[in-house]
């Protein structure tokens, strides 16, 4: 059974000009120990999906439909107090900017012990010992001394290491990593991804890795979901999606990535831009930009259909 | 022990101490404030006379001139009042009351104001709107008016024989209530900024409750400005108390503060015994000025943008 099941999730924002549907019927599952990459342009609904799963949508955003199941139990309608027990303990999170994720007034060790003691019954001494162990596990040397250091005494990469320790220290079963490397130097990015990968593999933690960096996904994920305008355009094993994309949008996305072994004059680009939420075209949301568009795409909205090794929301694959 | 020593060494080496050591005004102000606090705290031990001991008073000693005058003597360096009480001793005991009332009312005002500001800023919406409108309305009146009002209402509610015993608490309450909005507004502003920081989101992600997040994560991050306002408002609170006592609605005459001394001495200003009112006045000005200068310096020292 899947660890996390998201079924037909819909997220809405009521506004002055009517209700905007930012996520419109997204379904996917994450198996224990699996890394699911979620890619897409800005505004496709990647981060929002993550926030909806941990129940931290900022008002006025709200879940308007669908279900989120953890271990087969619904978690999208739990009262706040029950949800707090799940956050941190069952589901951890890593954010984009490590510079602000740590509270500047406390030593990093205190933030680790606070997280652990919120969810695990640990004495102060035990929690401290574990905090030191976690610092060393995420590659911070001399953890016993650094545990008393304040966030401003760490570099950006070091801080993101601490944030990873923070997300993993209560041993959650799922980590939602929302663009964990975007704010870091390119040279540090690979290290952080490698660290996240090895730690989650060791602990059997599932990861939902939200990013717009296909390189990171290709290296890290087992499966990948490509999002477009609040829907999943294509989902499948990472190799298949990268090598034989079945959705024209994925194809365009892959075409816009430079490959070291392929010599091209110009990188391809997808013409046009993602539609605004209040002007999503009828039928397939991608139809105005799609090179293979035909009549059906403009009227009928495709669901995910089997397309070779992956599943794609595209009428080209309607057998 | 070693931890404390290390913390102390760290403090001595901080930018804060460095900036202090480079500011003659701050050093001088702290010196004056320290002298005031010492004189007030140790008044029963070091005051040359006991102004409350009626047996030691001698009407023959009334209106002795201070040393500044030609015929002053060392027994009464700042002269005596109409009852033969030593003005210097009166000032020391008066400062005791003034500082006590000032500090207690600021503690009260800051606790109330910080709590309201935190809740308003973190909860937002209707709660925020209601609390802040209350603060806004109160800020349209001068603080002294609010304090007078609270003082009057509470006194009317209390039985007459308790006025003397509870007078000091009533005035602390009155000044505290008059001064909380400044704290609430500042803390609300900082809270609005801090609540959107990722570390608050991170605290929510690890499953901490709202109360816990407010108390352990937001509060320490908004305390800097509170310290500055508390210092600056302390001067105002001491003046509030002096004003109330000068008007005769403050503390009972059995607990004379600087304001009371100034009021009593005021009657003799034109009959030539100027020292009875001038010296308590000078003491009050020096003390409040030093506290305000210290507050100004603190504001600059804690403001990263002015560094």
């Amino acid at each position: 059974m899947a660890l996390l099941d998201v079924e037909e999730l819909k997220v809405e924002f009521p506004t002055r000009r009517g209700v905007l549907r930012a996520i419109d019927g997204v379904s996917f599952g994450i198996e224990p120990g699996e890394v699911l990459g979620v890619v897409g342009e800005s505004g496709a609904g990647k981060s929002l999906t993550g926030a909806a799963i941990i129940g931290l949508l900022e008002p006025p955003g709200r879940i308007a439909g669908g279900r989120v199941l953890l271990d087969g139990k619904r978690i999208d309608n739990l009262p706040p107090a029950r949800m707090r027990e799940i956050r941190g303990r069952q589901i951890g999170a890593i954010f984009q900017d490590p510079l602000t994720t740590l509270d500047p007034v406390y030593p990093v060790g205190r933030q680790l012990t606070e997280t652990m003691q919120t969810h695990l019954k640990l004495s102060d001494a035990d929690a401290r010992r574990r905090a030191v162990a976690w610092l060393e596990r995420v590659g911070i040397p001399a953890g016993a001394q650094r545990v008393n250091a304040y966030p401003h005494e760490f570099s950006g990469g070091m801080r993101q290491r601490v944030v990873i320790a923070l997300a993993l220290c209560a041993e959650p079963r799922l980590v939602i990593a929302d663009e964990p490397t975007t704010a870091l130097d390119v040279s540090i990015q690979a290290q952080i991804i490698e660290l996240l990968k090895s730690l989650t593999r060791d602990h059997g933690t599932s990861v939902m890795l939200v990013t717009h960096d296909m390189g990171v996904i290709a290296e890290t994920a087992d499966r990948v979901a490509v999002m477009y305008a609040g829907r999943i355009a294509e989902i499948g094993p990472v190799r298949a999606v990268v090598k034989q994309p079945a959705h024209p949008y994925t194809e365009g996305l892959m075409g816009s990535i430079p490959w070291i072994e392929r010599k091209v004059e110009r990188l391809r680009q997808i013409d046009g831009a993602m539609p605004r939420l209040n002007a999503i075209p009828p039928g397939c949301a991608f139809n105005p930009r799609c090179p293979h568009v035909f009549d059906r795409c403009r009227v009928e909205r495709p669901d995910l259909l089997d397309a070779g090794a992956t599943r794609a929301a595209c009428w080209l694959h309607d057998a | 022990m070693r931890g404390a020593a290390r913390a102390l060494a760290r403090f001595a080496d901080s930018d804060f101490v460095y900036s202090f050591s480079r500011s003659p005004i701050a050093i001088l102000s702290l010196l004056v404030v320290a002298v005031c606090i010492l004189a007030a705290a140790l008044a029963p031990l070091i005051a040359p006379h006991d102004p409350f001991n009626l047996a030691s008073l001698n009407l023959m000693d009334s209106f002795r001139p201070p040393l500044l005058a030609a015929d002053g003597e060392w027994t009464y360096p700042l002269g005596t009042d109409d009852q033969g009480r030593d003005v210097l001793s009166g000032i020391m005991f008066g400062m005791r009351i003034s500082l006590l009332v000032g500090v207690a009312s600021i503690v009260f005002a800051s606790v109330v104001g910080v709590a309201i500001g935190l809740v308003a800023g973190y909860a937002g919406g209707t709660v925020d709107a209601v609390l802040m409108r209350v603060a806004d309305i109160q800020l349209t009146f001068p603080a002294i008016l609010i304090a007078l009002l609270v003082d009057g209402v509470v006194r009317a509610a209390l039985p007459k024989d308790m006025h003397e015993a509870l007078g000091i608490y009533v005035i602390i309450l009155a000044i505290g209530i008059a001064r909380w909005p400044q704290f609430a507004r500042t803390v609300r502003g900082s809270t609005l900024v801090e609540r959107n920081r990722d570390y608050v989101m991170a605290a929510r992600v690890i499953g901490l409750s709202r109360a816990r997040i407010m108390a352990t994560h937001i509060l320490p991050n908004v305390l800097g400005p509170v310290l500055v306002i508390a210092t600056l408002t302390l001067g105002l609170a001491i003046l509030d108390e002096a004003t109330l006592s000068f008007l005769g609605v403050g503390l009972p005459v059995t607990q004379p503060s600087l304001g009371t001394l100034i009021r009593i001495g005021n009657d003799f200003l034109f009959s030539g015994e100027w020292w009875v009112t001038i010296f308590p006045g000078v003491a009050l000005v020096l003390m409040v000025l030093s506290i305000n200068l210290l507050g100004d310096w603190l504001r600059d020292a804690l403001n990263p943008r002015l560094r």
Side-chain angles (χ1 to χ4, degrees):
Chain A
M1 189 178 59
L3 172 67
L4 179 83
D5 256 313
V6 177
E7 295 175 357
E8 284 298 311
L9 182 69
K10 294 183 177 68
V11 172
E12 290 180 347
F13 287 84
T15 69
R16 197 152 63 90
R17 296 203 181 78
V19 175
L20 297 183
R21 182 158 286 181
I23 295 180
D24 193 3
V26 162
S27 304
F28 61 87
I30 301 181
E31 301 295 323
E34 186 185 40
V35 178
L36 175 76
V38 179
V39 283
E41 294 169 57
S42 302
K46 310 177 303 266
S47 302
L48 222 46
T49 307
I53 291 169
I54 38 179
L56 288 178
L57 281 175
E58 285 294 331
R62 58 169 189 238
I63 295 183
R67 307 195 298 169
V68 180
L69 299 102
L70 187 73
D71 274 334
K73 288 191 217 67
R74 281 188 77 165
I75 59 167
D76 57 296
N77 56 356
L78 290 179
R82 291 274 299 112
M83 193 61 205
R84 279 205 296 273
E85 288 166 25
I86 290 181
R87 282 203 292 267
R89 183 71 190 96
Q90 307 279 352
I91 309 179
I94 300 170
F95 299 107
Q96 189 167 341
D97 191 354
L99 305 185
T100 55
T101 306
L102 300 170
D103 191 331
V105 301
Y106 295 117
V108 294
R110 211 208 97 141
Q111 302 185 47
L112 284 165
T113 54
E114 180 181 41
T115 306
M116 286 187 277
Q117 289 184 312
T118 304
H119 296 289
L120 313 171
K121 280 203 162 45
L122 287 176
S123 69
D124 289 352
D126 280 346
R128 207 181 154 73
R129 237 190 318 278
R130 285 207 196 187
V132 172
W134 268 107
L135 286 182
E136 306 208 320
R137 216 171 294 163
V138 295
I140 291 174
Q145 283 130 51
R146 305 311 295 271
V147 80
N148 291 321
Y150 286 84
H152 70 266
E153 298 171 295
F154 285 73
S155 71
M158 298 266 271
R159 275 188 245 186
Q160 195 63 311
R161 288 169 187 268
V162 175
V163 171
I164 288 174
L166 213 50
L168 294 176
C169 67
E171 290 161 8
R173 301 164 62 205
L174 171 69
V175 171
I176 297 177
D178 190 353
E179 313 219 7
T181 57
T182 309
L184 302 175
D185 283 352
V186 182
S187 52
I188 306 292
Q189 286 183 4
Q191 290 177 18
I192 295 293
I193 288 295
E194 186 51 45
L195 175 70
L196 186 63
K197 215 162 97 180
S198 71
L199 280 178
T200 51
R201 200 191 307 116
D202 294 349
H203 289 79
T205 316
S206 306
V207 181
M208 176 176 159
L209 180 62
V210 176
T211 177
H212 50 237
D213 187 340
M214 270 312 292
V216 167
I217 295 279
E219 255 172 67
T220 319
D222 300 309
R223 284 192 309 140
V224 54
V226 180
M227 288 191 71
Y228 186 80
R231 295 168 196 170
I232 291 184
E234 180 166 6
I235 184 166
V238 71
R239 280 190 67 83
V241 173
V242 172
K243 298 286 178 205
Q244 296 118 28
H247 195 286
Y249 175 63
T250 322
E251 216 175 301
L253 212 55
M254 296 305 150
S256 63
I257 301 169
W259 297 93
I260 203 153
E261 64 267 28
R262 212 186 296 159
K263 189 160 167 55
V264 287
E265 287 302 310
R266 268 183 84 90
L267 287 173
R268 282 205 348 247
Q269 61 177 27
I270 311 174
D271 292 329
M274 203 170 63
R276 293 161 59 102
L277 284 179
N278 56 7
I280 291 179
C284 172
F286 187 59
N287 80 62
R289 302 169 76 187
C290 182
H292 311 292
V293 62
F294 55 101
D295 290 345
R296 194 179 179 185
C297 307
R298 297 196 180 92
V299 264
E300 222 178 323
R301 177 184 159 185
D303 285 322
L304 285 173
L305 304 164
D306 285 323
T310 74
R311 287 165 65 75
C314 179
W315 290 126
L316 290 174
H317 302 283
D318 192 23
Chain B
M1 252 344 263
R2 257 183 58 231
R6 208 173 328 134
L8 199 68
R10 203 171 170 150
F11 178 71
D13 192 40
S14 62
D15 291 351
F16 189 71
V17 172
Y18 178 77
S19 134
F20 181 79
S21 68
R22 303 289 296 254
S23 166
I25 291 185
I27 296 175
L28 193 66
S29 303
L30 187 68
L31 217 60
V32 174
V33 173
V35 167
C36 289
I37 292 174
L38 277 179
L42 303 177
L45 298 176
I46 60 171
H49 304 272
D50 181 359
F52 297 113
N53 184 356
L54 294 176
S56 76
L57 297 180
N58 187 343
L59 275 181
M60 295 298 291
D61 290 331
S62 65
F63 293 135
R64 292 289 172 107
L67 280 176
L68 276 176
D71 46 352
E73 27 184 331
W74 274 104
T75 330
Y76 302 106
L78 299 182
T80 62
D81 66 1
D82 56 328
Q83 310 280 323
R85 283 179 296 224
D86 177 38
V87 171
L88 176 62
S89 307
I91 289 174
M92 291 170 81
F93 280 93
M95 262 182 185
R96 205 174 155 83
I97 307 250
S98 290
L99 273 172
L100 180 73
V101 170
V103 170
S105 55
I106 288 312
V107 168
F108 180 72
S110 56
V111 168
V112 172
V114 168
I116 289 178
L118 265 183
V119 170
Y122 196 71
T126 320
V127 179
D128 180 30
V130 170
L131 290 174
M132 283 306 111
R133 287 311 78 76
V134 172
D136 286 346
I137 291 169
Q138 201 185 309
L139 279 173
T140 61
F141 297 100
I144 195 73
L145 214 60
I146 304 281
L148 266 172
L149 179 76
V150 175
D151 185 77
V153 169
V154 175
R155 262 165 217 278
L158 284 175
K160 261 230 143 52
D161 55 330
M162 291 172 74
H163 283 188
E164 194 162 323
L166 295 180
I168 193 160
Y169 300 106
V170 174
I171 198 156
I172 288 168
L173 182 78
I175 298 174
I177 290 178
R179 291 289 175 191
W180 71 268
Q182 187 78 53
F183 289 92
R185 285 169 57 111
T186 312
V187 168
R188 169 184 174 268
S190 314
T191 304
L192 286 179
V193 175
E194 296 298 327
R195 64 166 299 189
N196 290 322
R197 295 270 160 92
D198 279 348
Y199 69 82
V200 173
M201 184 54 118
R204 292 171 67 194
V205 165
I206 65 173
L208 299 184
S209 66
R210 284 155 71 102
R212 179 95 191 266
I213 292 174
M214 274 192 264
T216 64
H217 288 285
I218 296 184
L219 180 62
N221 278 294
V222 301
L223 276 186
V226 171
L227 188 62
V228 174
I229 297 181
T231 315
L232 290 173
T233 317
L234 174 61
L236 293 175
I238 291 174
L239 287 180
D240 285 345
E241 183 278 324
T243 310
L244 290 176
S245 296
F246 183 80
L247 295 175
V249 294
L251 292 163
V253 243
T254 48
Q255 291 166 301
S257 71
L258 289 178
T260 323
L261 296 180
I262 295 169
R263 182 192 66 201
I264 295 171
N266 196 36
D267 298 340
F268 313 116
L269 194 55
F270 293 105
S271 57
E273 293 86 13
W274 51 271
W275 56 88
V276 186
T277 191
I278 293 293
F279 286 124
V282 169
L284 182 67
V285 168
L286 273 181
M287 182 164 76
V288 173
L289 183 66
S290 303
I291 291 172
N292 280 345
L293 288 174
L294 211 54
D296 277 344
W297 169 80
L298 203 59
R299 184 187 57 202
D300 296 348
L302 293 181
N303 187 344
R305 245 170 286 159
L306 291 179
R307 286 223 179 112

